[in-house]
Amino acid sequence: MKKNISLFLMLFFTVLTFAQKTVSGKITDDDGVAIPSASVTIEEPGKDAILAYGITNSKGEYKVTFTSAESNVDLKVKAFNQKPLTKQISNSDQTLNFKMQSEATEIKEVQLKTKMITARGDTISYDLKAFNSKNDRTLADVMKKIPGIEVNNDGTILYQGNAINKFYVNGKDLMEGGYGTINNSLPKDAVQKVEVLENHQPVKILQDKVPSDQAAINIKLKNSVTMTGRGEVGSGFGDPWLWNVKLTPMFFGQKSQWVVNYKTNNMGEQVENEGNILAFGSSWEGRRSNISQNNWLSVENADTPNLPVKRYLMNSVHYLSANYLTNIDKKKEWELKANANYTNNAVERESNSVTRDIQQGTQYTTRFLNNFYTDKLKGELIFTKNAKKGFFKNTTTFSQFWNADRAFAERNDKNGYRIGNEALESPTTSFQNSLSTIIPWKEKMVNFKSYISYQNDKQILEISPADYLQFPYKETNTTDLTTIKFTPGSTALQYFRIKSLDTSHSANISFSSKGWTFTPQVGLDFSTDKLITNFDGSTVNDKPDFATLNYENDLKFTRINPSASVGINYKSESWSLFSSFPVNFNNIKAEDAFRNVSKSLSKVTFTPNIFAQYSFASFFKASVNGGISNNFGDIQTAYAGYILISPGGFNKMNPKNPIPETNTKNGGLRLEYRNPLNNLFFNVGYRLSDTKNNLLASSIVNESGFSEIEYIEKENKRTNNSLYAEIGKYFPKFKTNASFSYNNSISKSQSIRNTDLIDTKTNGNTLGFKFNNTYFSWMSVDFNMTKSWNKQSNGIIQNDLGKTEGYTHNLNVFFYPLENHTIGFYWDQINSKLGQTKLNNGFFDVSYQFSWSKKKVDFELKWMNIADRKVFEKISVGDATIAQTTMQLRPSQVMLTVKFNFK
């Protein structure tokens, strides 16, 4: 790892070795009239490589900053209807003015060509037509092929390896971060270009005052008023009968925008996550999050394979969403946004496992059949004013869940063969309101932020028959462990309820001068959780007696955190700096009198964080970041009454456990290069985190024979070092986009198993390669590959048992034998290796598509999982166990689908 760090530091600082130079001046014609939009490039003599470039403004002025080891460089100037000129200049700071000679050329034939990638300031624009293939239909199809941009499996868009903070269409943020719907359903024919807004600060009043290290995406449509959308209707053969419907009309106008989305299928396509928030904007806009349940209780779950979801998801889903944006004032500064979505989803799952305990030399088998039911409603109302002279944003969110899980379980272990039926009901009500406003006050800015969140979670776990639960138990005044004897035919019930209130309020004032902005702030965070649980079960001879207080909880967990901080930001042409230096006064209290829980903590912490970025030589950005954070546990570390978290057994915390204290220090270095002139993008970086804990969690068997988490006061560390690199380039001559990525991560941690201290070290490596080609008119290729190899050692798992390897690839090849006819071939390959055991899994699909080009309608016939593979195998390694699992897959199926644009 030290060698990796040294290599990275050498690479990181090599580009800074030579001093940066700046050449500026003015370009005019023979008459002294300024020439706008002339290009000025700096090149090394004898090399066809551009070091830096610039474009003259309306006054003919230019400025180019570059770095070179040569004593002299070539400066080249080009402009329309002017004779190009080249001059060799010294590698130094200087001012040079040029007069260009007119050169009229008779144009016999005119061909208009748009550059694939262009840059102006912090905006990089991609011409969508340069990257699409004949088989692409939506924005997402093309976005995956653009150099510098990556689309993850969950729909998150990355630029240069980092998530974007905003997704605009014609400059408006309709989706408020939930951009998956538009990305997946906006027809590519409606898009003129994709713009990347680098270092994007979405709050206009803060632009040029508070910098950002994140980029945004703006989709520029061909028309300022666009009515469009995408639809699919499909049916297929399988068991059961298959259907797939997608209807997503959308409208983008100058005053209002809206998108309506309805999707339903039972053919394994996951659509219910399209409403997830993927981009969270700026912290100055307030707080938003993907609402989730406090899921403490669970049924036993079947495993899922490491495959594309469409290969194994047995679903029946209905997803409906609507998003609306309108300007409510004449100046178009105020916006009203309303969005709502509803999900109804049923999922089936099955897996079988054989698990071997390395230490004890035993093994057992399990089989799980699951039915998961999701019933969820969410609504959101947002008022926003985002202007140069003020900012206001209020977001109100309401969510309601009516989820339920079912499981049929079979076990054959040391306690013999048994079966059980498990049911979990988990309704949740959630409400949030976030307010942030920035008010200009003379030369200053005043910001107020307020956040309130209330959530009520209920869960009931039912196990039938109760004697499926084979729990060890030790009767009073005995040393022998027996098994709890539940009343035959009875049912075990675990009741759970938690009410959570979370509030955060802050006020700050900002002073700006000469690029610097100072922001002192005071704040108060308050949260409280109220946990109530009860277990109900019947045993022979009332041993144990579940009516005692030991099987209940009535716990209150409260946090009060006043804070004071100062933010220091700086923005110039080359430098960006943002930092904060908060002091937190942490006060935590946990109380449950009946179970002897009474603990508190008061501690002052200093948690600074800083990010600095330097832009140079037109194409490079170098950055450094670091920070400190603290965590003091939560209510899950404080409850002392037994809870049947899952059918695996009761859990509780020792009431004498102190409050955990975790301190994390992290830092990173990053070098980024993006050159739209030669279509080359790369980034390389190093991350380090060091986490200190005051406690080690140990699972012990207490005097009753049940599992209990006991904290041992022993300082322990978790460290992680990772080195990553990614390079991508588009080759226009071959119509090919290719990228490589590599990540190396080394982590070390400590844990306790059966009172033994275990040091675990994991070394993980991942290599990725992506390739797409549209060079041939009769064929296009998309290929993605990932290779990983990992080694884990902890004193128990040794030799080849700690080594795992994985290989996956996805190959899509499309042939175009005739106009409007497409034949597709799809190959997913997933290989894994543990020691000498190898598992190879391949999946193949074929498709035929006829395009009615006049009506822009496609008819597709697709045969999926041709080999009819019904199960998937995997091997997993625990601290002292090895498990081999087979999981149920979707069978072979044939779908006929009609795809169309709304306009």
Side-chain angles (χ1 to χ4, degrees), residues 77 260 369 769 892:
V77 184
V260 176
L369 298 173
F769 172 65
S892 182

PDB file of all heavy atoms in Angstrom, residues 77 260 369 769 892:
ATOM      1  N   VAL A  77      -3.465  30.777 -33.797  1.00  0.00           N
ATOM      2  CA  VAL A  77      -4.717  31.526 -33.782  1.00  0.00           C
ATOM      3  C   VAL A  77      -5.483  31.205 -35.061  1.00  0.00           C
ATOM      4  O   VAL A  77      -4.919  31.258 -36.165  1.00  0.00           O
ATOM      5  CB  VAL A  77      -4.481  33.047 -33.684  1.00  0.00           C
ATOM      6  CG1 VAL A  77      -5.811  33.775 -33.572  1.00  0.00           C
ATOM      7  CG2 VAL A  77      -3.587  33.363 -32.487  1.00  0.00           C
ATOM      8  N   VAL A 260     -45.782  12.509 -16.252  1.00  0.00           N
ATOM      9  CA  VAL A 260     -46.635  11.478 -15.652  1.00  0.00           C
ATOM     10  C   VAL A 260     -46.059  10.127 -16.053  1.00  0.00           C
ATOM     11  O   VAL A 260     -45.685   9.920 -17.218  1.00  0.00           O
ATOM     12  CB  VAL A 260     -48.097  11.603 -16.125  1.00  0.00           C
ATOM     13  CG1 VAL A 260     -48.936  10.460 -15.549  1.00  0.00           C
ATOM     14  CG2 VAL A 260     -48.675  12.945 -15.693  1.00  0.00           C
ATOM     15  N   LEU A 369     -38.609 -19.618   1.418  1.00  0.00           N
ATOM     16  CA  LEU A 369     -39.532 -19.126   0.391  1.00  0.00           C
ATOM     17  C   LEU A 369     -40.143 -17.835   0.908  1.00  0.00           C
ATOM     18  O   LEU A 369     -40.727 -17.815   1.995  1.00  0.00           O
ATOM     19  CB  LEU A 369     -40.637 -20.144   0.109  1.00  0.00           C
ATOM     20  CG  LEU A 369     -40.217 -21.507  -0.449  1.00  0.00           C
ATOM     21  CD1 LEU A 369     -41.413 -22.443  -0.510  1.00  0.00           C
ATOM     22  CD2 LEU A 369     -39.617 -21.348  -1.830  1.00  0.00           C
ATOM     23  N   PHE A 769     -13.758  -2.461 -17.415  1.00  0.00           N
ATOM     24  CA  PHE A 769     -13.533  -2.046 -18.798  1.00  0.00           C
ATOM     25  C   PHE A 769     -14.877  -1.887 -19.493  1.00  0.00           C
ATOM     26  O   PHE A 769     -15.760  -2.746 -19.353  1.00  0.00           O
ATOM     27  CB  PHE A 769     -12.687  -3.082 -19.534  1.00  0.00           C
ATOM     28  CG  PHE A 769     -12.556  -2.818 -21.023  1.00  0.00           C
ATOM     29  CD1 PHE A 769     -11.904  -1.685 -21.482  1.00  0.00           C
ATOM     30  CD2 PHE A 769     -13.097  -3.700 -21.942  1.00  0.00           C
ATOM     31  CE1 PHE A 769     -11.788  -1.441 -22.841  1.00  0.00           C
ATOM     32  CE2 PHE A 769     -12.987  -3.462 -23.302  1.00  0.00           C
ATOM     33  CZ  PHE A 769     -12.328  -2.331 -23.758  1.00  0.00           C
ATOM     34  N   SER A 892     -37.016 -19.394 -18.766  1.00  0.00           N
ATOM     35  CA  SER A 892     -37.022 -18.881 -20.128  1.00  0.00           C
ATOM     36  C   SER A 892     -38.374 -18.237 -20.435  1.00  0.00           C
ATOM     37  O   SER A 892     -39.427 -18.753 -20.036  1.00  0.00           O
ATOM     38  CB  SER A 892     -36.758 -20.033 -21.105  1.00  0.00           C
ATOM     39  OG  SER A 892     -36.712 -19.564 -22.431  1.00  0.00           O
TER      40      SER A 892
END
